[in-house]
Structure formats: C-alpha cells, structure tokens
Amino acid sequence: MDKDLEKRIREAMLNPQNMGELANADSIGTVGNSDCGEMLRMWVKFKDDNGRKVIDKATFQSFGCETAIAVASLATELIRGKTAEEALALKTEELAGELGPLPPMKIHCAQLVEGALRSALDPNNEEPKPAAPKTAAPAAHSTNLAESLKPKEGVKIVFLDKKP
Ligand code: FES
C-alpha cells in the first residue's frame, strides 16, 4: 500500500466517526468476509426532511482492518442527509471518499462497508431492529461487536464472498 494512502487511513483512524451501536435504529445490516475474517455491522436511522425520508445518522461496528474502519467512518458521514436510493447509488470508490483509490488488495474492505450499507437499506432486510430502551436507565447496549455478534435468533449475516 502506498505511503500516502497509509497516511490518509491513519488520519481517518485517529478520529473515527460514527462508531458504535445506534439505539432505535430503523435498520441494521451485517456482512462478513470469510476469507479475511472481517465483519461489519451498520445501523441506519432515518428522519423526515420536508417530505423526503433521509438518513439522519448511520453508525457501525467492525471486526475489520483499518481500511474497513476508515471507509466506514467516511461513508457514514457521506450518506447523512441522503435518501436510501441516493445512498445505494454510491459506488464503492465513492464510499471511500477522501481516502482516494484503494489498491486491489484493499477494495474488498470498502466492499464490506458497501455490503453492510446495502444490507441495512435492503427493503427485504429481515434483521431485527434494535429494541427501544424500556426504562430511563442507560440502555444495555453491547460493548463491542464480538458481544453483539453472539448468535441470536433472527440475526442475518450476509457473507459477501459466498454466492447464494
Ligand atoms: Fe478484509 Fe480489510 S482486510 S476487510
């Protein structure tokens, strides 16, 4: 990987945006790549903007490499204010934003982010929505992706590298 890209990834990693579970998200997408073992989950919350249903916030958790985390950080910022259709129209390289072109060996890292986004925005997504907190006490959110990915009934993980 070239030094400039490494530097941009390192800079994105110094202040990653939108990491963590999003309480009361409207949809969730989880994808995995069994070749490299990385997984990424994305939460999306919508809002009404003058009659348009737009993405209010998107967050992520990752068992991913630095590139996947950097792309997820940039992508979750990029899609804010877009409709689901507009977000889905973004190409993989656009999600990587200011990181610029990724080398071939790192393109699948951005595809992991793209896959999680597509899964979250899939109208047929059957992954259960997060439950709203029942009390005023702090929500019992999982603290990390490993915990949140423990097998639960109904969780759907899409493996990007496996054909259906
Ligand atoms: Fe597999 Fe980056 S090395 S997601």
Short mmCIF file of all heavy atoms in Angstrom, two decimals, residues 28 43 46 53 68 81 84 121 138 140-141 163:
data_model
loop_
_atom_site.label_atom_id
_atom_site.label_comp_id
_atom_site.label_asym_id
_atom_site.label_seq_id
_atom_site.Cartn_x
_atom_site.Cartn_y
_atom_site.Cartn_z
N ILE A 28 -30.67 -2.42 10.26
CA ILE A 28 -29.32 -2.90 10.56
C ILE A 28 -28.88 -3.81 9.43
O ILE A 28 -29.68 -4.59 8.92
CB ILE A 28 -29.28 -3.72 11.86
CG1 ILE A 28 -29.90 -2.95 13.02
CG2 ILE A 28 -27.84 -4.11 12.22
CD1 ILE A 28 -30.06 -3.81 14.27
N TRP A 43 -25.78 0.43 11.39
CA TRP A 43 -27.11 0.84 11.85
C TRP A 43 -27.49 2.12 11.11
O TRP A 43 -26.64 3.00 10.93
CB TRP A 43 -27.10 1.17 13.34
CG TRP A 43 -26.96 0.01 14.27
CD1 TRP A 43 -27.96 -0.62 14.95
CD2 TRP A 43 -25.76 -0.64 14.69
NE1 TRP A 43 -27.46 -1.62 15.74
CE2 TRP A 43 -26.11 -1.66 15.60
CE3 TRP A 43 -24.41 -0.47 14.37
CZ2 TRP A 43 -25.18 -2.48 16.20
CZ3 TRP A 43 -23.47 -1.30 14.97
CH2 TRP A 43 -23.86 -2.29 15.87
N PHE A 46 -33.46 6.96 10.03
CA PHE A 46 -33.98 7.93 9.07
C PHE A 46 -34.70 9.06 9.77
O PHE A 46 -35.09 8.96 10.93
CB PHE A 46 -34.97 7.24 8.12
CG PHE A 46 -34.34 6.24 7.19
CD1 PHE A 46 -34.31 4.89 7.52
CD2 PHE A 46 -33.76 6.65 6.01
CE1 PHE A 46 -33.73 3.97 6.68
CE2 PHE A 46 -33.17 5.72 5.15
CZ PHE A 46 -33.15 4.38 5.49
N LYS A 53 -37.65 11.03 3.01
CA LYS A 53 -37.11 10.17 4.06
C LYS A 53 -35.61 10.06 3.84
O LYS A 53 -35.16 9.44 2.87
CB LYS A 53 -37.77 8.79 3.98
CG LYS A 53 -37.37 7.85 5.08
CD LYS A 53 -38.09 6.51 4.90
CE LYS A 53 -37.55 5.46 5.84
NZ LYS A 53 -38.09 4.13 5.57
N ALA A 68 -11.16 -0.86 6.44
CA ALA A 68 -12.62 -1.00 6.55
C ALA A 68 -13.17 0.02 7.55
O ALA A 68 -14.22 0.64 7.31
CB ALA A 68 -12.98 -2.42 6.97
N GLY A 81 -28.13 12.57 5.30
CA GLY A 81 -28.93 13.52 4.52
C GLY A 81 -29.36 12.98 3.17
O GLY A 81 -30.10 13.64 2.45
N ALA A 84 -32.38 6.64 0.91
CA ALA A 84 -31.82 5.29 0.74
C ALA A 84 -31.39 5.07 -0.71
O ALA A 84 -30.33 4.51 -0.98
CB ALA A 84 -32.85 4.24 1.16
N LEU A 121 -30.05 -1.15 4.03
CA LEU A 121 -31.05 -0.40 3.26
C LEU A 121 -31.92 -1.31 2.40
O LEU A 121 -32.80 -0.83 1.69
CB LEU A 121 -30.35 0.64 2.37
CG LEU A 121 -29.57 1.71 3.12
CD1 LEU A 121 -28.91 2.68 2.15
CD2 LEU A 121 -30.45 2.46 4.10
N PRO A 138 -29.79 3.65 31.66
CA PRO A 138 -28.99 3.51 30.45
C PRO A 138 -29.28 2.21 29.74
O PRO A 138 -29.48 1.18 30.36
CB PRO A 138 -27.54 3.52 30.99
CG PRO A 138 -27.63 4.13 32.34
CD PRO A 138 -29.01 3.86 32.86
N ALA A 140 -28.94 -1.18 27.81
CA ALA A 140 -27.96 -2.26 27.96
C ALA A 140 -27.40 -2.62 26.59
O ALA A 140 -27.70 -3.66 26.03
CB ALA A 140 -28.62 -3.47 28.61
N HIS A 141 -26.61 -1.74 26.03
CA HIS A 141 -26.03 -1.99 24.72
C HIS A 141 -24.83 -2.90 24.87
O HIS A 141 -24.13 -2.85 25.87
CB HIS A 141 -25.58 -0.68 24.07
CG HIS A 141 -26.70 0.24 23.81
ND1 HIS A 141 -27.77 -0.08 23.04
CD2 HIS A 141 -26.92 1.50 24.25
CE1 HIS A 141 -28.60 0.93 22.99
NE2 HIS A 141 -28.10 1.90 23.73
N LYS A 163 -21.68 -17.04 -2.84
CA LYS A 163 -22.82 -16.90 -3.73
C LYS A 163 -24.02 -17.57 -3.07
O LYS A 163 -23.86 -18.62 -2.45
CB LYS A 163 -22.53 -17.58 -5.08
CG LYS A 163 -21.33 -16.98 -5.78
CD LYS A 163 -21.65 -15.62 -6.35
CE LYS A 163 -20.46 -15.04 -7.07
NZ LYS A 163 -20.00 -13.80 -6.59
#
